Every structure is written in C-alpha cells, then in structure tokens.
Amino acid sequence: MGLFDRIQETKEASPKSVAVTLERLPENLEEMKQLPQAALATPFMTAALAVCAYCCYAVDSGAGRDMLNFLKGPKPLSNYDIQFLNDRLRGQQYLPFSYFEGAVPSNGYRPDEPYRITFFEDAYTYQNEGYAKLNVRSGGADSPRQIVLRKKGEQWFLWEQYLLVGIRPPVQNDDWA
C-alpha cells in the first residue's frame, strides 16, 4: 500500500458530524423533557442537551442542576461537581453559549437562532465500549473541546465534560481588544 492509498483511506474515513438544531433553549427540566432529544437515544442528542443545561445553569443554577441531574442518569452531580460549575461559570456566563453557531467574542457570544450545535467524531470517539467522546467547536477557542457520554440500556447519559475551560473573552470584556 502506497502513501496515496493511505491518503485516500483517510479521506474516505472522514469523521461523522451531527448538527442538532433547537428553536429555543429549555429553561427548566420540564421544558427539556418535552424536546425530542430528551429520549437520549444518541450521544449527539445528550451532548446537545448538556450544552443547553450548562447555558441554563449559567443563568439559573437550580434549574440547570435539575437538567444536568436528568442527563447524568444514575450518577447525579456531586457537591464537587456543583462547586466546579460555580467556579467555572462565575463571571463567564457566556462560556457554554460559545458552542452554538454564530456565538463569537465580537457579539458577546450571542448565538444565531435557531440554536444549532455540531458535534463530530474522531478516531477515539468509540474507543471504549459503551462510551462516546464527541468533539465540539467553540466560537472562542482554536481547538475543539470534548464531551463524554456513557450508554446505559438504550440511552446515552452525560459522563464527563471538557467544555467549561477558558475561551477568549467577549470583546466588550477584553481590556486588550
């Protein structure tokens, strides 16, 4: 097999991407449960709802906590998880919104409507049986971030996230802009 053949294989085995579109972001658990994605039938659905839950948490921690506990299934948020969320979102409420299309530093991370978020697979997505590690891009970061989902029965649940890490601040908050 020559180099050209390997390049062709790589092109043909391009990663799958899935875009999830929402007309509006849920503001509480009951609204979330009414969405078709709440079936948690694919890792992409669960990942999209997790980003929605983090957006909600940034505005209303109680409602966001309820949503995240639903998405975590049998493993609810621990006190450590809650403290982590509080620390990461303090003064950076815009951070989870940065994963939606159109949300960039120049517009204060206000996403386009309808809300659209695209997750993509890579060679490591299904490396461990029963888990899926998806990638997502932020309008404020140069490299993609990951979210890990775990399958139980026929549903996918939130397992770990690497979404709430530093991004460029909104232009209006950037002293160097």
mmCIF file of all heavy atoms in Angstrom, residues 35-54:
data_model
loop_
_atom_site.group_PDB
_atom_site.id
_atom_site.type_symbol
_atom_site.label_atom_id
_atom_site.label_comp_id
_atom_site.label_asym_id
_atom_site.label_seq_id
_atom_site.Cartn_x
_atom_site.Cartn_y
_atom_site.Cartn_z
ATOM 1 N N LEU A 35 -38.565 18.078 24.694
ATOM 2 C CA LEU A 35 -37.815 18.078 23.440
ATOM 3 C C LEU A 35 -37.602 16.650 22.939
ATOM 4 O O LEU A 35 -37.428 15.728 23.745
ATOM 5 C CB LEU A 35 -36.455 18.758 23.642
ATOM 6 C CG LEU A 35 -36.499 20.223 24.036
ATOM 7 C CD1 LEU A 35 -35.105 20.704 24.404
ATOM 8 C CD2 LEU A 35 -37.083 21.063 22.915
ATOM 9 N N PRO A 36 -37.599 16.445 21.637
ATOM 10 C CA PRO A 36 -37.365 15.093 21.122
ATOM 11 C C PRO A 36 -35.993 14.540 21.525
ATOM 12 O O PRO A 36 -35.828 13.334 21.695
ATOM 13 C CB PRO A 36 -37.484 15.249 19.598
ATOM 14 C CG PRO A 36 -37.510 16.705 19.326
ATOM 15 C CD PRO A 36 -37.842 17.423 20.586
ATOM 16 N N GLN A 37 -35.023 15.414 21.716
ATOM 17 C CA GLN A 37 -33.688 14.978 22.105
ATOM 18 C C GLN A 37 -33.677 14.352 23.503
ATOM 19 O O GLN A 37 -32.756 13.627 23.864
ATOM 20 C CB GLN A 37 -32.700 16.156 22.066
ATOM 21 C CG GLN A 37 -32.423 16.676 20.676
ATOM 22 C CD GLN A 37 -33.450 17.694 20.198
ATOM 23 O OE1 GLN A 37 -34.405 18.040 20.882
ATOM 24 N NE2 GLN A 37 -33.270 18.175 18.982
ATOM 25 N N ALA A 38 -34.703 14.623 24.309
ATOM 26 C CA ALA A 38 -34.759 14.106 25.687
ATOM 27 C C ALA A 38 -34.908 12.591 25.736
ATOM 28 O O ALA A 38 -34.779 11.988 26.799
ATOM 29 C CB ALA A 38 -35.882 14.777 26.466
ATOM 30 N N ALA A 39 -35.133 11.964 24.592
ATOM 31 C CA ALA A 39 -35.146 10.497 24.546
ATOM 32 C C ALA A 39 -33.738 9.946 24.821
ATOM 33 O O ALA A 39 -33.589 8.787 25.181
ATOM 34 C CB ALA A 39 -35.648 10.015 23.191
ATOM 35 N N LEU A 40 -32.728 10.786 24.659
ATOM 36 C CA LEU A 40 -31.330 10.430 24.902
ATOM 37 C C LEU A 40 -30.917 9.196 24.095
ATOM 38 O O LEU A 40 -30.111 8.383 24.534
ATOM 39 C CB LEU A 40 -31.059 10.215 26.404
ATOM 40 C CG LEU A 40 -31.532 11.315 27.360
ATOM 41 C CD1 LEU A 40 -31.201 10.963 28.798
ATOM 42 C CD2 LEU A 40 -30.978 12.670 26.985
ATOM 43 N N ALA A 41 -31.471 9.080 22.901
ATOM 44 C CA ALA A 41 -31.271 7.907 22.062
ATOM 45 C C ALA A 41 -29.908 7.854 21.382
ATOM 46 O O ALA A 41 -29.471 6.791 20.951
ATOM 47 C CB ALA A 41 -32.376 7.821 21.014
ATOM 48 N N THR A 42 -29.252 9.001 21.245
ATOM 49 C CA THR A 42 -27.920 9.038 20.640
ATOM 50 C C THR A 42 -27.014 9.899 21.514
ATOM 51 O O THR A 42 -27.485 10.773 22.244
ATOM 52 C CB THR A 42 -27.949 9.641 19.215
ATOM 53 O OG1 THR A 42 -28.209 11.052 19.306
ATOM 54 C CG2 THR A 42 -28.979 8.953 18.321
ATOM 55 N N PRO A 43 -25.701 9.697 21.412
ATOM 56 C CA PRO A 43 -24.804 10.556 22.176
ATOM 57 C C PRO A 43 -24.909 12.015 21.745
ATOM 58 O O PRO A 43 -24.731 12.924 22.554
ATOM 59 C CB PRO A 43 -23.418 9.973 21.917
ATOM 60 C CG PRO A 43 -23.556 9.062 20.761
ATOM 61 C CD PRO A 43 -24.979 8.649 20.680
ATOM 62 N N PHE A 44 -25.250 12.246 20.475
ATOM 63 C CA PHE A 44 -25.362 13.616 19.966
ATOM 64 C C PHE A 44 -26.519 14.361 20.633
ATOM 65 O O PHE A 44 -26.404 15.533 20.974
ATOM 66 C CB PHE A 44 -25.537 13.603 18.443
ATOM 67 C CG PHE A 44 -24.417 12.910 17.728
ATOM 68 C CD1 PHE A 44 -24.546 11.596 17.320
ATOM 69 C CD2 PHE A 44 -23.229 13.566 17.476
ATOM 70 C CE1 PHE A 44 -23.504 10.948 16.665
ATOM 71 C CE2 PHE A 44 -22.175 12.935 16.821
ATOM 72 C CZ PHE A 44 -22.318 11.615 16.423
ATOM 73 N N MET A 45 -27.635 13.671 20.821
ATOM 74 C CA MET A 45 -28.796 14.287 21.484
ATOM 75 C C MET A 45 -28.447 14.675 22.914
ATOM 76 O O MET A 45 -28.744 15.787 23.363
ATOM 77 C CB MET A 45 -29.977 13.310 21.505
ATOM 78 C CG MET A 45 -30.618 13.057 20.181
ATOM 79 S SD MET A 45 -31.978 11.866 20.411
ATOM 80 C CE MET A 45 -32.645 11.816 18.769
ATOM 81 N N THR A 46 -27.846 13.744 23.632
ATOM 82 C CA THR A 46 -27.497 14.005 25.029
ATOM 83 C C THR A 46 -26.474 15.133 25.134
ATOM 84 O O THR A 46 -26.591 16.008 25.992
ATOM 85 C CB THR A 46 -26.972 12.723 25.696
ATOM 86 O OG1 THR A 46 -27.959 11.696 25.557
ATOM 87 C CG2 THR A 46 -26.665 12.953 27.164
ATOM 88 N N ALA A 47 -25.488 15.126 24.252
ATOM 89 C CA ALA A 47 -24.467 16.175 24.273
ATOM 90 C C ALA A 47 -25.083 17.551 24.036
ATOM 91 O O ALA A 47 -24.737 18.523 24.717
ATOM 92 C CB ALA A 47 -23.390 15.875 23.238
ATOM 93 N N ALA A 48 -26.010 17.636 23.083
ATOM 94 C CA ALA A 48 -26.660 18.925 22.800
ATOM 95 C C ALA A 48 -27.444 19.406 24.017
ATOM 96 O O ALA A 48 -27.384 20.589 24.380
ATOM 97 C CB ALA A 48 -27.575 18.800 21.591
ATOM 98 N N LEU A 49 -28.166 18.504 24.657
ATOM 99 C CA LEU A 49 -28.931 18.904 25.841
ATOM 100 C C LEU A 49 -28.007 19.279 26.996
ATOM 101 O O LEU A 49 -28.350 20.144 27.801
ATOM 102 C CB LEU A 49 -29.897 17.792 26.255
ATOM 103 C CG LEU A 49 -31.050 17.542 25.284
ATOM 104 C CD1 LEU A 49 -31.957 16.445 25.827
ATOM 105 C CD2 LEU A 49 -31.842 18.808 25.008
ATOM 106 N N ALA A 50 -26.843 18.659 27.070
ATOM 107 C CA ALA A 50 -25.888 19.023 28.120
ATOM 108 C C ALA A 50 -25.434 20.473 27.947
ATOM 109 O O ALA A 50 -25.368 21.228 28.918
ATOM 110 C CB ALA A 50 -24.695 18.075 28.113
ATOM 111 N N VAL A 51 -25.145 20.867 26.706
ATOM 112 C CA VAL A 51 -24.753 22.265 26.473
ATOM 113 C C VAL A 51 -25.903 23.191 26.860
ATOM 114 O O VAL A 51 -25.685 24.225 27.501
ATOM 115 C CB VAL A 51 -24.296 22.477 25.019
ATOM 116 C CG1 VAL A 51 -24.032 23.957 24.744
ATOM 117 C CG2 VAL A 51 -23.041 21.660 24.727
ATOM 118 N N CYS A 52 -27.121 22.804 26.522
ATOM 119 C CA CYS A 52 -28.293 23.599 26.934
ATOM 120 C C CYS A 52 -28.368 23.712 28.457
ATOM 121 O O CYS A 52 -28.658 24.782 29.002
ATOM 122 C CB CYS A 52 -29.585 22.965 26.418
ATOM 123 S SG CYS A 52 -29.802 23.022 24.643
ATOM 124 N N ALA A 53 -28.117 22.611 29.143
ATOM 125 C CA ALA A 53 -28.175 22.610 30.607
ATOM 126 C C ALA A 53 -27.101 23.518 31.197
ATOM 127 O O ALA A 53 -27.352 24.224 32.179
ATOM 128 C CB ALA A 53 -28.037 21.179 31.136
ATOM 129 N N TYR A 54 -25.906 23.517 30.610
ATOM 130 C CA TYR A 54 -24.861 24.419 31.107
ATOM 131 C C TYR A 54 -25.241 25.880 30.862
ATOM 132 O O TYR A 54 -24.973 26.746 31.701
ATOM 133 C CB TYR A 54 -23.508 24.098 30.469
ATOM 134 C CG TYR A 54 -22.955 22.770 30.927
ATOM 135 C CD1 TYR A 54 -22.632 21.786 30.026
ATOM 136 C CD2 TYR A 54 -22.777 22.498 32.283
ATOM 137 C CE1 TYR A 54 -22.141 20.557 30.439
ATOM 138 C CE2 TYR A 54 -22.293 21.277 32.716
ATOM 139 C CZ TYR A 54 -21.970 20.313 31.785
ATOM 140 O OH TYR A 54 -21.492 19.099 32.209
#
